[in-house]
Amino acid sequence: MGLVALFGLAGILVLQFTQQEPPENPSERALVQGAGQQEAQQSEEDATAIQRIPGNLIRENEQPEAGRPFIFELGNFSQGAEYSLDLGDGKRKTFKDGKLHHTYYNPGTYEVTLYARYEGQELALQKVVKQVANTVTDSEITPIIDF
């Protein structure tokens, strides 16, 4: 029984001497807490700043034709951000003055994603599906003969 008490007392002494002392001065404790709160507040502000970046595609329902240039246009965009499109065909292009020209060479379905980059962070703003149609050609079946 005495041996158990001796080990218990030794354990308490080890714990007592290995614990770090809290700051004696209450203002030091407040500085540590204040710095942690400032970092948390700053990261929340950064997250909300990137989430407030506006931007959307205009004419999103218009469908391009294969082999013909198509113009993507931005609406409601911020001058401070850089906007780009993942065009769904392996290419990614950046908007200039709210417009982006692109030609799809093959008909099919392409998922297009609009991205905004601001202060080193990037956010996907919008995804649309573009159905690229075969190029429409006007061909004359037979000549018109007028008598």
Side-chain angles (χ1 to χ4, degrees):
M1 182 73 103
L3 188 59
V4 174
L6 183 61
F7 279 115
L9 183 59
I12 291 173
L13 288 174
V14 168
L15 286 175
Q16 185 68 26
F17 289 116
T18 59
Q19 284 185 340
Q20 290 184 341
E21 295 288 323
E24 300 257 343
N25 188 349
S27 65
E28 289 178 10
R29 200 175 313 157
L31 283 175
V32 172
Q33 289 175 346
Q37 290 171 349
Q38 284 177 345
E39 289 175 10
Q41 183 179 4
Q42 183 65 32
S43 65
E44 286 177 18
E45 287 174 3
D46 291 344
T48 55
I50 190 81
Q51 290 174 359
R52 285 186 290 202
I53 294 177
N56 61 294
L57 294 172
I58 299 175
R59 303 179 312 130
E60 66 182 71
N61 294 329
E62 291 185 26
Q63 304 303 331
E65 291 181 16
R68 294 195 177 171
F70 185 78
I71 299 173
F72 290 93
E73 291 184 68
L74 275 177
N76 189 29
F77 62 96
S78 172
Q79 293 294 332
E82 178 182 286
Y83 293 89
S84 64
L85 272 184
D86 178 340
L87 295 152
D89 63 355
K91 294 186 176 93
R92 186 166 176 167
K93 293 183 177 179
T94 303
F95 280 88
K96 290 185 175 112
D97 298 323
K99 293 187 180 185
L100 184 149
H101 298 262
H102 184 66
T103 302
Y104 288 98
Y105 292 100
N106 297 309
T109 303
Y110 298 91
E111 185 176 89
V112 177
T113 306
L114 173 64
Y115 291 95
R117 178 177 291 280
Y118 183 72
E119 293 182 355
Q121 296 182 3
E122 186 172 72
L123 179 70
L125 297 177
Q126 182 181 12
K127 286 187 182 197
V128 295
V129 174
K130 288 291 184 189
Q131 184 64 43
V132 178
N134 284 319
T135 305
V136 177
T137 56
D138 294 329
S139 61
E140 193 175 301
I141 298 173
T142 59
I144 298 175
I145 302 173
D146 190 16
F147 291 100

